[in-house]
Amino acid sequence: MITNTATNHIKEETVIESLQIMIDALPVLLQGMWLTVLITVISLAIALVIGLVLGIFSITQNKILRGISTLYVDAIRGTPILVQILFIYFGLPAATDLSLNAFTAGIIAISINAGAYLVEIFRAGINSIDKGQMEAGRTLGFSYSETMRLIILPQAVKRMIPAIVNQFIVSIKDTSILSVIGIAELTMSGQSIYANNFRAFEILFMVGVLYFIIVYSLTLFARWLERRLDVA
Amino acid sequence: MIKIENLKKSFGELEVLKDMNVEVKPQEVVCVIGPSGSGKSTFLRCINRLEEPTGGSIYIEGNDITDPGNNINEMRKNLGMVFQQFNLFPHMTVLQNITTAPKRLNGKSQTEADKLGKQLLDKVGLADKADVYPDNLSGGQKQRAAIARALAMEPSIMLFDEPTSALDPEMVGDVLEVMKSLAKEGMTMIIVTHEMGFAREVADRVIFMDGGYIVEEGNPQDLFDNPQEKRTQDFLSKVL
């Protein structure tokens, strides 16, 4: 009976201590989280442009443009993101005068990686629109690009949202690999804390919670967006 | 108004159009009939270059539409087209479907375009459907909306590619009525159709195509009642 109370007492103390460690770590982790969000937002904005432009390249009649698009997608999808990150940060400076700071290298790597997957999403989305839509636009007198912008893309993008969001979520989590080139994003921040206090359980738990918050906010935003577009 | 000379079109090895020569006068209504696979839709789609002709020339009011030096987008404004599958824009209301092109391409203000759009909807009997999305229209209503959309660019020529073939039988009449009233107003029209009754009543001239050629052409009475060619006779005996 007495021993039991004692154990409970000790357990309670451990929980309080764990919570205290998590709270203490929060300021540093939030800084890391901010960097993760910053890298993600910049990279995905760039990736969307890459995806749209090369996605349209991949459906044109022009063989050279199609070739560029295919080569890019195949090269990126065929290699691990870790290798891509290391290549841009260590590989390029070793062979050229080009030397990038870790932050820039990280953004380039995530943009190029997510861009390749978005090319495929855009290509499939645009192809899923009946070709009669392009014909109807063109016969009214719209140019190819006007028809794309006014008629094809608004319909295609609506269909692509779930796939785009899925890729965004993958990319958010991929930013954790940037810790290997020393960017103090969320994962790296966590690592630096438990390297000092040896409380890996509490710190990594908190890191997980913070990633979940980022990803879940995006998921909620996407659901809201889909509902809004569904009205039209 | 339209002058087509030595028009040829091949898809790879397959020769779909073999030397077509057609002239259409202003305000003339020409119906093109023939068995499926005879090339009549391809012929129509070459006129506004939805299909790139392999050879020949197509003059629209004197300008060759096959000449790369001519602005295809400008020339198409003058050539309204109506498709078998309607091809309305599902993300726009019926009114927006009609007003987008005149607003963006003909410099009409929102108010002018809306006014024009409502007039056209009234004309095709859809005045109450302006703010509805195409998914909520019946087939016949969709096709009438599509005709209104094509008319909004104020073209001088209208091309119809089997406009009633995708419709339930009871919807066909309304669409044909709209086309008839257009013909009465003096619109120049080329119509690919399977509606022989309509062709007989409305066409000034009927063209019978088979195997990529014009087999026979003439006014509807002569062609339907007294066809000269064996192939025309065979075809008409099956469809009439």
Side-chain angles (χ1 to χ4, degrees):
Chain A
M1 199 58 183
I2 294 165
T3 37
N4 233 347
T5 323
T7 338
N8 277 344
H9 192 65
I10 292 167
K11 265 190 192 158
E12 227 169 76
E13 268 188 359
T14 339
V15 170
I16 290 168
E17 198 195 337
S18 291
L19 283 174
Q20 191 57 51
I21 286 165
M22 290 183 193
I23 291 164
D24 288 345
L26 209 51
V28 177
L29 290 182
L30 284 177
Q31 265 185 351
M33 181 181 172
W34 161 243
L35 202 54
T36 291
V37 171
L38 189 67
I39 291 171
T40 304
V41 169
I42 298 174
S43 304
L44 293 183
I46 299 170
L48 275 178
V49 176
I50 296 176
L52 175 62
V53 173
L54 288 179
I56 289 175
F57 278 12
S58 73
I59 53 162
T60 54
Q61 304 291 320
N62 190 314
K63 274 187 186 154
I64 298 166
L65 295 182
R66 273 211 319 264
I68 292 171
S69 180
T70 312
L71 188 69
Y72 166 68
V73 171
D74 287 350
I76 299 301
R77 288 204 307 189
T79 51
I81 187 167
L82 178 58
V83 174
Q84 292 160 13
I85 293 166
L86 294 174
F87 183 80
I88 290 168
Y89 189 56
F90 296 116
L92 285 185
T96 61
D97 289 339
L98 191 75
S99 166
L100 302 163
N101 64 43
F103 183 74
T104 314
I107 284 177
I108 293 175
I110 299 291
S111 308
I112 288 180
N113 183 271
Y117 292 92
L118 288 173
V119 169
E120 288 295 282
I121 294 172
F122 271 91
R123 190 179 60 80
I126 293 168
N127 276 339
S128 77
I129 303 300
D130 186 87
K131 74 174 173 47
Q133 294 288 308
M134 176 57 84
E135 291 185 348
R138 296 304 308 272
T139 49
L140 286 170
F142 287 117
S143 66
Y144 178 86
S145 59
E146 283 168 327
T147 311
M148 255 307 157
R149 196 160 45 83
L150 296 170
I151 294 157
I152 309 297
L153 285 177
Q155 298 180 56
V157 167
K158 201 170 131 183
R159 289 188 195 178
M160 293 183 310
I161 287 175
I164 291 176
V165 170
N166 199 43
Q167 181 54 46
F168 277 16
I169 289 173
V170 170
S171 294
I172 290 171
K173 294 185 288 187
D174 279 350
T175 59
S176 73
I177 307 174
L178 295 177
S179 56
V180 299
I181 56 171
I183 298 178
E185 43 66 65
L186 184 48
T187 305
M188 181 79 179
S189 307
Q191 283 173 332
S192 65
I193 298 171
Y194 70 73
N196 284 319
N197 67 6
F198 305 109
R199 302 302 290 251
F201 176 82
E202 288 85 352
I203 302 302
L204 287 173
F205 182 80
M206 279 303 283
V207 167
V209 168
L210 293 178
Y211 273 115
F212 180 82
I213 289 172
I214 303 173
V215 170
Y216 199 64
S217 315
L218 176 65
T219 308
L220 290 180
F221 171 75
R223 281 186 199 151
W224 171 83
L225 189 68
E226 270 186 81
R227 264 201 313 275
R228 251 200 62 159
L229 290 176
D230 235 22
V231 180
Chain B
M1 184 137 219
I2 305 177
K3 193 169 187 207
I4 297 162
E5 290 174 346
N6 308 110
L7 175 64
K8 292 187 185 69
K9 172 68 184 174
S10 303
F11 293 104
E13 294 284 289
L14 185 70
E15 211 179 3
V16 179
L17 297 178
K18 304 161 187 164
D19 200 29
M20 301 269 299
N21 291 281
V22 180
E23 211 170 319
V24 179
K25 293 189 277 294
Q27 307 207 337
E28 198 177 12
V29 176
V30 175
C31 282
V32 183
I33 61 169
S36 53
S38 58
K40 47 193 198 306
S41 277
T42 306
F43 165 65
L44 195 74
R45 291 162 59 85
C46 279
I47 296 173
N48 63 3
R49 256 177 73 193
L50 275 187
E51 302 292 351
E52 209 63 56
T54 326
S57 303
I58 300 170
Y59 297 95
I60 312 289
E61 295 178 326
N63 293 315
D64 186 355
I65 200 166
T66 63
D67 180 349
N70 283 325
N71 183 336
I72 181 74
N73 296 327
E74 279 303 313
M75 292 190 71
R76 277 177 177 154
K77 291 184 190 175
N78 197 26
L79 291 161
M81 183 156 196
V82 174
F83 300 87
Q84 184 178 351
Q85 297 297 339
F86 330 124
N87 296 339
L88 290 171
F89 307 133
H91 61 303
M92 299 180 184
T93 64
V94 170
L95 188 63
Q96 287 166 345
N97 261 278
I98 298 169
T99 56
T100 302
K103 225 169 60 192
R104 301 233 173 211
L105 299 174
N106 275 356
K108 289 218 181 335
S109 70
Q110 183 74 53
T111 328
E112 287 170 325
D114 282 350
K115 192 170 160 233
L116 172 69
K118 286 189 173 137
Q119 277 171 5
L120 288 170
L121 281 176
D122 198 36
K123 184 175 181 166
V124 300
L126 294 174
D128 54 333
K129 301 290 185 193
D131 299 321
V132 167
Y133 283 91
D135 279 352
N136 298 319
L137 298 180
S138 72
Q141 291 170 332
K142 281 182 190 165
Q143 194 58 298
R144 284 181 282 148
I147 293 172
R149 177 177 69 181
L151 290 174
M153 289 303 288
E154 295 162 336
S156 55
I157 298 161
M158 285 284 284
L159 309 172
F160 292 85
D161 189 4
E162 302 195 23
T164 58
S165 297
L167 298 179
D168 290 336
E170 75 270 23
M171 306 284 182
V172 171
D174 290 341
V175 172
L176 293 182
E177 275 311 312
V178 169
M179 291 167 65
K180 258 183 230 171
S181 72
L182 268 184
K184 274 202 198 101
E185 285 166 25
M187 176 65 77
T188 309
M189 295 159 76
I190 303 181
I191 306 164
V192 171
T193 187
H194 293 294
E195 298 289 334
M196 299 304 155
F198 173 81
R200 182 196 286 265
E201 187 185 338
V202 179
D204 297 307
R205 183 151 51 103
V206 177
I207 293 176
F208 173 69
M209 273 184 76
D210 193 14
Y213 285 107
I214 294 176
V215 175
E216 190 169 353
E217 63 180 306
N219 73 51
Q221 282 71 36
D222 293 346
L223 192 118
F224 283 118
D225 298 335
N226 190 18
Q228 301 300 306
E229 298 287 330
K230 173 87 171 58
R231 273 192 289 173
T232 319
Q233 291 162 3
D234 286 349
F235 175 73
L236 289 176
S237 73
K238 279 179 207 147
V239 297
L240 286 181

